[in-house]
Amino acid sequence: MGDGMRLGIMGGTFDPIHYGHLVAAEEAQYRFGLEKVIFMPCGRPPHKKDYAVTKAEHRFEMTRLAIEGNSDFEVSRLEMDRPGPSYAIDTIMELRQLYLQADIHFITGADAILEILTWKEPECLRDMCKLVAVSRPGYDLATFEKRVGEDFASSVHFLNVPGVSISSTEIRRRAAQKAPIRYLLPEDVRSYIERESLYR
Ligand code: NAP
């Protein structure tokens, strides 16, 4: 299945998903000629110890609402339904079984990829898929190279996306203060946050 297909996997906690993520996925699809982009809400983020991540079911539902109507975008429960920490390498290995020959692009934030050397089996991950780092125009590439090393940095594809200045952290902070979040994320997601009293 999926032989030769150009596939994007949009990895993130999506707590909550916002227009920065959607613009990035759309741009990645265009730039890398992806036939499909699968949003992969992280089940149990292995690296987040400083704040309680919103229940995966809520993050999944917000992602589903955000991509509704775009037939090139999908959302997957694969990481959510897998017990234990959600390591990217395990996800890519599982997807490889489903999409044997696919050209897999793992897309996520440049600041997340900055920490890739602390992830599980980073070299294996790099060899199994293309890594796409979403960043703002003007992102400090020199710091990135210094942190991950020239060899690793050269295998990462940077994708500059202006809308990435919207952040989930800022949306959570604003929602907690009852400040407006309208227009930072799809209206259905905003209504869901209100209905479910998230981020209060
Ligand atoms: P994070 O550390 O919370 O994010 C760092 C920065 O990247 C934030 O500014 C974040 O903005 C942005 N970002 C995250 N995902 C993005 C996306 N898909 N598109 C554009 N910007 C994005 O990262 P995270 O969301 O928890 O994790 C990102 C991905 O890395 C997930 O798929 C996770 O599973 C993977 N990861 C794997 C390991 C491992 O295998 N050991 C360890 C860490 C992370 P927002 O907060 O606005 O999203």
Side-chain angles (χ1 to χ4, degrees):
M1 194 161 111
D3 283 8
M5 176 191 221
R6 295 176 73 83
L7 182 65
I9 304 300
M10 184 71 167
T13 304
F14 303 128
D15 193 12
I17 190 162
H18 53 68
Y19 280 129
H21 299 128
L22 295 168
V23 170
E26 181 81 2
E27 187 66 13
Q29 180 180 29
Y30 165 70
R31 285 275 296 279
F32 298 97
L34 306 175
E35 284 151 70
K36 182 153 76 168
V37 178
I38 303 178
F39 285 69
M40 187 67 67
C42 195
R44 279 148 291 274
H47 56 302
K48 295 215 157 139
K49 300 191 173 72
D50 52 340
Y51 91 98
V53 175
T54 305
K55 273 201 305 203
E57 286 298 342
H58 283 312
R59 293 183 288 107
F60 176 86
E61 187 54 18
M62 289 190 281
T63 307
R64 191 191 67 72
L65 288 169
I67 63 168
E68 212 167 43
N70 184 338
S71 57
D72 294 338
F73 288 179
E74 283 180 19
V75 57
S76 168
R77 300 183 62 92
L78 195 137
E79 284 197 356
M80 286 171 52
D81 292 346
R82 193 172 63 220
S86 306
Y87 296 117
I89 182 67
D90 296 345
T91 304
I92 298 299
M93 279 184 156
E94 233 177 306
L95 288 167
R96 265 277 161 252
Q97 315 283 317
L98 294 171
Y99 301 96
L100 293 177
Q101 303 295 327
D103 187 6
I104 299 179
H105 296 63
F106 182 73
I107 311 155
T108 194
D111 286 341
I113 294 195
L114 195 61
E115 303 298 328
I116 198 162
L117 296 182
T118 68
W119 294 13
K120 184 182 167 190
E121 300 170 32
E123 286 84 11
C124 185
L125 180 64
R126 176 191 57 187
D127 295 345
M128 287 191 72
C129 63
K130 292 200 172 80
L131 294 169
V132 178
V134 174
S135 61
R136 276 179 291 278
Y139 184 81
D140 187 2
L141 285 176
T143 305
F144 186 87
E145 238 181 58
K146 219 160 136 189
R147 179 86 73 93
V148 305
E150 225 172 278
D151 178 42
F152 220 111
S154 66
S155 62
V156 175
H157 302 261
F158 278 85
L159 187 70
N160 285 328
V161 183
V164 167
S165 48
I166 301 173
S167 88
S168 301
T169 308
E170 177 66 5
I171 292 176
R172 290 195 300 274
R173 194 186 61 76
R174 291 182 68 86
Q177 294 172 347
K178 296 201 166 60
I181 56 171
R182 202 188 294 270
Y183 307 129
L184 296 174
L185 70 187
E187 182 56 16
D188 286 351
V189 179
R190 192 198 62 79
S191 305
Y192 184 89
I193 291 172
E194 200 170 283
R195 204 165 53 246
E196 298 291 332
S197 304
L198 302 182
Y199 313 122
R200 291 287 164 79

